Amino acid sequence: IEQDDIYVYKNDNTLPIGFSTSNIMSYEDYELLDKQTKQEALFNVIVVDAPSNNNFISTLEKTTIKIEDIFKHSNIKINKSNTVNITTKETLKLTYKLPKNYHDKILFISFNINNNKETKSIKINNITKELNISNKYQPQETIEYVLSNQKQEELNISFEPGTYNLSNIEIYSLDTANIDKSIKNFDKFIINPIIKKGEILSGKINVIKDGYFMFTIPYDKGFKVKLNNQEIEYERVDEKYIGFPITSGT
């Protein structure tokens, strides 16, 4: 759905507000992963304060896309270390046709940017990142994009008027079939629409194997969680969400 500058996309391969899995990873093992692999891991496991019980293997691949092919413009200079310097007095738009082998794949794009008072925002394929302008306590910021639109055949990049310095640009790809397969391994929580009201969420889940349950609700104190009508303790999982151990059954 598109209206004015508002875009609404539907993705059938997503997880509900709550789900469970028997695949768990300890925080210690999670912290050993690089930033791109961490994002991939969250499609496969729940990260908890307990020993890992699986051998997660990343299928991420670093792309062969060349930085100089993306940033072709007279207002852009690229030095030998692939640092990209941009100065523009008007919105600068770039379009890069992706090689066919990256069509319909999930792309992870990250780079560092040095902040200054002129830097504003960068948009890639309708995802806009507002920059932390002129923060003297954080002169460099890491920007990350996850692009997963279907039929993704190009990169559309735009820079608001200003000066930009981009470094450590990395682009990784992930086959969507791997994510689809991982999502199918999660047991999905089905909300009861009759009881769903106010601040109460109720529903059922068929748990195939013992593991962990996670609500994609930011962790905080003060929640009450009941499992089979019994109040239980909950903890922080995946760094920021509510979770708790769960056994097989309905």
Side-chain angles (χ1 to χ4, degrees):
I1 301 174
E2 298 182 14
Q3 183 175 352
D4 299 327
D5 291 330
I6 300 174
Y7 299 81
V8 178
Y9 299 94
K10 180 182 178 181
N11 187 345
D12 292 325
N13 297 315
T14 58
L15 289 167
I17 191 171
F19 52 88
S20 73
T21 180
S22 60
N23 295 321
I24 62 174
M25 178 182 289
S26 69
Y27 278 109
E28 290 82 1
D29 289 342
Y30 180 72
E31 289 303 322
L32 295 175
L33 306 177
D34 58 38
K35 57 188 176 184
Q36 291 88 1
T37 310
K38 281 182 177 180
Q39 296 184 70
E40 180 192 8
L42 296 179
F43 286 111
N44 293 270
V45 303
I46 294 178
V47 183
V48 302
D49 188 15
S52 301
N53 69 354
N54 70 97
N55 296 317
F56 167 72
I57 299 176
S58 174
T59 58
L60 271 176
E61 295 181 353
K62 193 165 187 177
T63 69
T64 57
I65 297 172
K66 295 181 179 179
I67 302 304
E68 58 268 28
D69 291 338
I70 298 177
F71 296 97
K72 285 184 177 179
H73 196 278
S74 59
N75 289 355
I76 299 177
K77 294 181 180 181
I78 304 175
N79 63 24
K80 293 182 180 180
S81 62
N82 276 342
T83 297
V84 177
N85 297 292
I86 302 170
T87 300
T88 179
K89 294 182 179 180
E90 57 186 25
T91 299
L92 176 63
K93 296 183 178 181
L94 304 171
T95 297
Y96 171 73
K97 298 290 184 180
L98 289 167
K100 287 186 177 180
N101 55 314
Y102 297 121
H103 290 188
D104 300 325
K105 288 196 175 184
I106 298 174
L107 295 180
F108 297 83
I109 302 176
S110 66
F111 52 83
N112 294 335
I113 184 165
N114 294 318
N115 290 327
N116 61 63
K117 63 182 180 181
E118 295 179 343
T119 305
K120 295 181 179 178
S121 67
I122 302 173
K123 180 190 290 186
I124 303 181
N125 289 15
N126 295 315
I127 299 177
T128 301
K129 297 288 186 175
E130 299 292 339
L131 306 175
N132 191 4
I133 302 170
S134 300
N135 186 341
K136 64 180 180 180
Y137 301 107
Q138 188 180 352
Q140 190 177 77
E141 186 176 359
T142 299
I143 308 297
E144 298 176 344
Y145 294 82
V146 180
L147 309 178
S148 58
N149 293 340
Q150 293 182 346
K151 298 182 180 179
Q152 187 166 256
E153 298 180 358
E154 62 185 24
L155 297 180
N156 294 297
I157 308 172
S158 65
F159 298 84
E160 286 191 2
T163 300
Y164 302 80
N165 177 271
L166 314 182
S167 61
N168 296 325
I169 302 172
E170 295 183 325
I171 306 176
Y172 286 80
S173 70
L174 182 63
D175 197 320
T176 55
N178 294 336
I179 298 300
D180 296 344
K181 182 180 178 180
S182 298
I183 289 176
K184 289 178 181 178
N185 290 330
F186 285 90
D187 305 319
K188 298 175 177 61
F189 175 72
I190 301 174
I191 293 177
N192 187 334
I194 298 176
I195 303 178
K196 180 185 175 185
K197 59 182 179 179
E199 298 178 349
I200 299 175
L201 279 177
S202 179
K204 292 184 177 181
I205 183 171
N206 182 27
V207 179
I208 304 301
K209 293 182 180 180
D210 294 357
Y212 260 76
F213 179 91
M214 184 176 90
F215 269 124
T216 52
I217 297 174
Y219 175 89
D220 201 353
K221 296 179 180 180
F223 287 102
K224 286 186 177 181
V225 177
K226 290 185 177 182
L227 182 61
N228 294 332
N229 294 319
Q230 297 293 321
E231 187 170 343
I232 61 171
E233 298 291 328
Y234 61 90
E235 60 191 86
R236 189 193 304 269
V237 300
D238 276 15
E239 297 187 299
K240 56 184 176 181
Y241 296 119
I242 292 174
F244 50 86
I246 195 168
T247 55
S248 62
T250 300

